[in-house]
Amino acid sequence: MPDDGRRSAHDDEPSTPVGDTEIVVDETAPDIAGTRATRRDLTTLSAPERSRLFAEVSPAPGSPKPDPIIVVDNISRTFGGIKAVQVDHLEVQRGAITGLIGPNGAGKTTFFNLITGFDKPDSGTWSLNGESLGRMVPHQVARRGMVRTFQLTKALSKLSVLDNVKLGATGQRGEHFLAALAPWTWRKQEAEITERAHELLRRFKLDAKANDFAGSLSGGQRKLLEMARALMTDPEIVMLDEPMAGVNPALTQSLLEHIKSLRDEGVTVVFVEHDMDVIRDISDWVVVMAQGQIIAESLPDRLGDNEAVVDAYLGGHHDQALEFDDRGQPVGATAVLAERVEAAIEATLEEGGDLSEPVELPPVDPGRVAPGQVDTDKKEAE
Ligand SMILES: Nc1ncnc2c1ncn2[C@@H]1O[C@H](COP(=O)(O)OP(=O)(O)OP(=O)(O)O)[C@@H](O)[C@H]1O
C-alpha cells in the first residue's frame, strides 16, 4: 500500500503467501464476502418518498433524476443498416423500479446488452455510481454492482438448480490457475457461495428443488432461478429482460412481489415488460423506446396522455385528425378506424399474440361508408 495514505485497488484483496510467491487475487474476480462488505449502502425509499421524488421529474426523454445510479450519454449500436440503439441521454433513479417499454424491435434488449457489457456500442459513455463502465466485460460490471437477466432463460438444464445459482458468482477464485495452488483460499469461498445460493433458493421458494436438474423446472421457476442467480453478487441494480414472459399467472404474482421486495430493500430495478397492467402495477417510472431512441418518459398512470407513446404503439394509424359526435362517438373515418383497430386487437388476442407491436389493420372494405363520411369516390364519379 502506498505510504501516502491512499489505498490502491488491491488493498482490500486478501493475499496468500505460498513459499516466496505472494498470490494477489485478480482484482476483477467477484468476491462474495468482499462485494457485500464494500457495496455502497442501499437507498431504501418509502412509497410516499418515491411519489414525491418522481412528482418533481419532468416527463421528457432524458429528464434529470434527483439521484441517478446510471447515466447514459450518446450510446449507439448499429447492425448492418439498422440503428438498433441511439440513446442521447438517460438517467435511472436509484432505489426505484423503472419499467422500459416499447414495441418489438425498439432496441430494449440491445440497450441492456450494451450497458451490462454483453455487447459493445459504436459510441457512447455510461456510468454506474459515477464510474464509467465503458470497457468492462459482464463480470466486471457485476462486481461493480449491476447484473442482468435474459429474455430467454439461460439455465443449464443438465446442472442442478443449486449449481446453476452458484454460477452467478462468476470468476470464482478456484477458476484461477494460481488459486489452484492454494486450495484453502477457494474452499472457504466455495462454502460462502454455497451458503448464499441456499439462502437465495429459500428466498425464491426453490430450496426443495436444489438438487433437481434445472431442466425439470417450469418456465416460471426458471425465471425465479435466473433472478436468484443474478442476486449472487448482491447487486445494487438488476436489469430484468421480460421477467414475466412465459410465466403462468400463478407465478406471475409471486415474481412481481419478489421484484417489489428487491426495490423495498433498496435494490434499483430496471425491467422490460410488454404487459401494461404489470407496468402500471409495479413501476415507479416508465421509459419508452421506439426505433432505438428514448421517445418518452412518464409516471406509469400518465402514459396514455403521452402522444409520442400512443404514436409508437399505434404506428402510422394515428396520423389523421380524429372526429367525434356530440355524444363522444367516433364518426366518419374515425369510426372506421376505431372498428378496424378493435377488430385487429380482437384478432391478435384470439391468435394468442400480445399487443407489443402496432396491430396489423385489416384492409378497408371498399363498399363500406362510415356514418357521416362522404364517399368521395362515389361523389367524384357523379
Ligand atoms: N445481433 C443482432 N444482429 C442483427 N440485428 C440485431 C441484432 N440484435 C438486435 N438486432 C436488431 O436491432 C433492433 C433492436 O432489437 P432488440 O432485440 O434490441 O429490440 P427489443 O426492443 O428488445 O425487441 P423485443 O421486444 O422483440 O425483445 C431490431 O431491429 C433487431 O432486429
Side-chain angles (χ1 to χ4, degrees):
M1 176 173 166
D3 52 13
D4 61 1
R6 283 183 290 117
R7 293 169 67 74
S8 80
H10 291 287
D11 291 340
D12 291 327
E13 302 289 354
S15 59
T16 310
V18 178
D20 291 330
T21 315
E22 186 180 63
I23 297 176
V24 177
V25 175
D26 177 1
E27 195 260 327
T28 60
D31 173 338
I32 292 287
T35 303
R36 299 177 81 186
T38 56
R39 184 170 78 169
R40 283 163 62 112
D41 286 341
L42 293 178
T43 307
T44 52
L45 299 168
S46 66
E49 280 171 333
R50 288 196 306 275
S51 297
R52 274 199 298 278
L53 193 141
F54 282 108
E56 303 294 310
V57 176
S58 149
S63 61
K65 307 296 179 306
D67 180 17
I69 181 168
I70 298 271
V71 177
V72 176
D73 278 299
N74 300 315
I75 196 168
S76 74
R77 176 72 164 106
T78 308
F79 293 110
I82 298 171
K83 266 244 145 97
V85 166
Q86 176 62 69
V87 169
D88 297 340
H89 186 74
L90 178 69
E91 298 187 7
V92 174
Q93 171 60 38
R94 184 189 311 281
I97 297 179
T98 299
L100 179 60
I101 65 169
N104 287 340
K108 305 176 297 291
T109 297
T110 305
F111 180 69
F112 268 30
N113 288 344
L114 293 174
I115 68 169
T116 52
F118 283 86
D119 190 11
K120 296 279 165 237
D122 307 325
S123 62
T125 56
W126 64 106
S127 61
L128 172 71
N129 291 321
E131 182 185 8
S132 171
L133 299 180
R135 277 194 284 272
M136 292 187 195
V137 293
H139 79 263
Q140 293 171 309
V141 174
R143 185 171 162 80
R144 265 67 182 182
M146 176 159 61
V147 291
R148 66 164 299 180
T149 64
F150 292 85
Q151 204 170 327
L152 299 173
T153 54
K154 301 240 183 247
L156 299 170
S157 50
K158 293 283 166 57
L159 276 187
S160 74
V161 169
L162 177 66
D163 285 341
N164 265 280
V165 177
K166 285 166 67 178
L167 282 178
T170 52
Q172 298 167 30
R173 271 186 221 153
E175 292 171 1
H176 296 274
F177 169 71
L178 284 177
L181 299 174
W184 57 90
T185 61
W186 54 263
R187 272 194 207 123
K188 179 167 173 290
Q189 190 194 46
E190 168 72 12
E192 283 170 1
I193 288 171
T194 305
E195 191 189 316
R196 172 120 179 101
H198 277 297
E199 192 184 299
L200 286 166
L201 286 175
R202 279 194 293 279
R203 173 177 186 153
F204 290 100
K205 302 200 168 50
L206 289 172
D207 41 333
K209 300 198 171 286
N211 298 316
D212 294 0
F213 285 129
S216 70
L217 298 183
S218 70
Q221 288 169 328
R222 283 179 194 218
K223 291 283 187 185
L224 291 172
L225 169 63
E226 181 113 331
M227 277 177 70
R229 181 165 49 194
L231 295 180
M232 276 298 283
T233 50
D234 216 1
E236 279 184 65
I237 172 165
V238 290
M239 315 279 293
L240 307 173
D241 197 352
E242 297 199 33
M244 312 309 162
V247 177
N248 69 40
L251 262 183
T252 301
Q253 202 47 41
S254 141
L255 255 164
L256 289 178
E257 292 309 318
H258 282 303
I259 295 174
K260 283 186 203 170
S261 71
L262 282 176
R263 185 260 322 268
D264 294 343
E265 290 161 22
V267 176
T268 306
V269 178
V270 181
F271 81 116
V272 173
E273 181 53 55
H274 287 304
D275 185 326
M276 287 299 178
D277 289 335
V278 170
I279 288 285
R280 284 201 194 88
D281 179 12
I282 69 167
S283 311
D284 298 302
W285 189 252
V286 182
V287 172
V288 189
M289 281 186 85
Q291 297 177 343
Q293 302 181 350
I294 308 287
I295 57 154
E297 296 195 32
S298 172
L299 285 169
D301 56 0
R302 306 303 297 270
L303 271 172
D305 306 346
N306 191 308
E307 193 83 4
V309 180
V310 177
D311 274 344
Y313 278 91
L314 277 182
H317 311 305
H318 187 58
D319 55 1
Q320 66 189 76
L322 301 178
E323 302 170 68
F324 300 88
D325 66 15
D326 294 341
R327 289 169 298 129
Q329 296 301 315
V331 292
T334 306
V336 175
L337 179 64
E339 262 181 34
R340 292 170 69 207
V341 170
E342 216 169 289
I345 287 175
E346 252 174 47
T348 306
L349 292 176
E350 259 169 36
E351 283 161 24
D354 65 16
L355 296 174
S356 54
E357 283 187 293
V359 287
E360 274 296 320
L361 296 189
V364 187
D365 172 0
R368 171 86 171 82
V369 179
Q373 185 187 25
V374 180
D375 188 339
T376 42
D377 289 345
K378 210 168 149 196
K379 212 170 170 203
E380 265 167 33
E382 282 167 5

